[in-house]
Amino acid sequence: MERRDCLMRPLRYLWAVIRRGQGIVYHIFPDRFMKTPPGSAAATGLAPWGGSRPSRESFYGGTLKGIRERLPYISSLGADYIYLNPVYRSRSNHRYDVDDYTRVDDLLGTGGDDMRELTREAHGLGGIRVILDVVFNHTSVRHPRFLEFMERGNDWYVRVPRARRKSGTYFPGYETFEGHAGMPKLNHRSQAVIDMIRQTIRYYVEEWGGIDAVRVDVGGHSLPPRSLQGTEV
C-alpha cells in the first residue's frame, strides 16, 4: 500500500495491518523508552530512570535519539512498523494535549531534525515504517488558537453554557474532551480547523522525513471523515 493510501485511510489501514497479521507494530511511548545523555537543555526535574513509579506528572527524559539508537534492536525483533505516541510540543508526559502540532517537543529532540533522522534511519533498516499518533479532536489550553478564542473569539472551538458536575464543580464554557477543561475540543465544522488538519498531515510527510501513516486519536466517533479528506500527498 502506498503512503498516500495510508494517509487517506489512517485508522482503517493501521488496524487492518494488525488484524490481518500483515506486519508487526512496535509501540513506543517516547518519554519512557530510551534516554540519551546529556539530553535536552529543557530536561530539568526529571524522574529517576528506573525504580520509581510513574505518575501523571512525571517526565523521564526519553528522546527520539534514544529511539534511533534502539532501531537495530527493534529491527532484530522483525518489526515492520514503529508506532509513536504523540511527539509534538505539550506540557504533559503523554502529549495528547497539544500546544503546537508542527513542533517536536523540546524534551524529545531538536526541531524536526531528530524526527527526520529517525524516519530516515527506520526506512533504511529494512524499510521499517513510521506511524505517528495525532490528536485532532482537541488541543491544550495553551494552543495559540485557543488563547485567541478565549480573548476575542474564533470558530476553532465552541462555546457552551457552563454546567455543574455532580461534585459541585463546573464544566468550562466551551466543548471539551470528556469534560477535561485542559483539553478543549476543536470545532470540526470550521473550515479553518479542517484546513489545519490537512496541512498538518502534509507537513509530517514533507518535513519530517516521509512519515508513512498516522493513527488518529478519538477519530472513530468524533472526527468527521470530511476532516481527513484531501490529505493525500
Side-chain angles (χ1 to χ4, degrees):
M1 184 175 289
E2 296 298 325
R3 185 164 62 223
R4 67 178 62 200
D5 296 323
C6 302
L7 290 168
M8 286 294 287
R9 299 187 294 276
L11 277 176
R12 191 189 323 171
Y13 172 66
L14 176 56
W15 288 114
V17 166
I18 298 172
R19 186 175 60 251
R20 298 174 186 171
Q22 293 176 332
I24 297 173
V25 179
Y26 193 99
H27 184 189
I28 296 174
F29 189 81
D31 179 62
R32 296 173 195 164
F33 181 70
M34 180 68 180
K35 184 177 179 179
T36 52
S40 165
T44 58
L46 297 177
W49 191 267
S52 62
R53 184 172 180 175
S55 72
R56 294 170 64 95
E57 292 76 32
S58 57
F59 284 87
Y60 285 77
T63 63
L64 296 180
K65 182 180 178 181
I67 297 173
R68 285 166 50 202
E69 290 186 2
R70 300 299 287 165
L71 281 174
Y73 165 72
I74 295 172
S75 178
S76 74
L77 299 177
D80 301 289
Y81 308 84
I82 54 173
Y83 160 41
L84 307 179
N85 283 113
V87 299
Y88 34 61
R89 172 169 280 190
S90 173
R91 298 188 194 180
S92 65
N93 51 26
H94 54 74
R95 298 187 171 90
Y96 281 93
D97 49 345
V98 54
D99 293 352
D100 187 336
Y101 284 105
T102 58
R103 180 161 182 172
V104 172
D105 194 275
D106 293 338
L107 281 176
L108 294 178
T110 304
D113 293 342
D114 284 323
M115 194 66 239
R116 282 189 290 272
E117 284 299 303
L118 172 58
T119 305
R120 182 184 64 80
E121 292 182 19
H123 289 168
L125 276 175
I128 295 176
R129 297 187 181 185
V130 180
I131 302 169
L132 285 185
D133 206 342
V134 296
V135 186
F136 294 130
N137 179 71
H138 53 269
T139 68
S140 76
V141 292
R142 294 170 296 276
H143 191 282
R145 297 288 78 77
F146 182 76
L147 295 175
E148 177 186 88
F149 168 78
M150 293 299 290
E151 180 179 350
R152 58 181 181 272
N154 60 37
D155 68 347
W156 281 60
Y157 305 87
V158 179
R159 294 195 185 276
V160 295
R162 293 182 180 272
R164 185 184 295 273
R165 291 179 187 263
K166 290 183 179 179
S167 63
T169 58
Y170 287 87
F171 284 110
Y174 48 85
E175 289 187 356
T176 66
F177 170 63
E178 295 189 349
H180 296 287
M183 295 182 176
K185 191 175 184 302
L186 286 163
N187 174 19
H188 295 107
R189 296 177 292 276
S190 165
Q191 188 60 47
V193 170
I194 293 172
D195 290 343
M196 178 276 292
I197 292 172
R198 295 171 178 172
Q199 292 165 6
T200 300
I201 293 178
R202 291 194 185 100
Y203 180 88
Y204 294 152
V205 174
E206 295 169 0
E207 300 296 329
W208 285 2
I211 297 301
D212 298 286
V214 295
R215 177 262 176 183
V216 183
D217 184 62
V218 203
H221 61 81
S222 66
L223 193 65
R226 67 185 290 263
S227 298
L228 290 173
Q229 291 173 355
T231 55
E232 71 274 16
V233 294

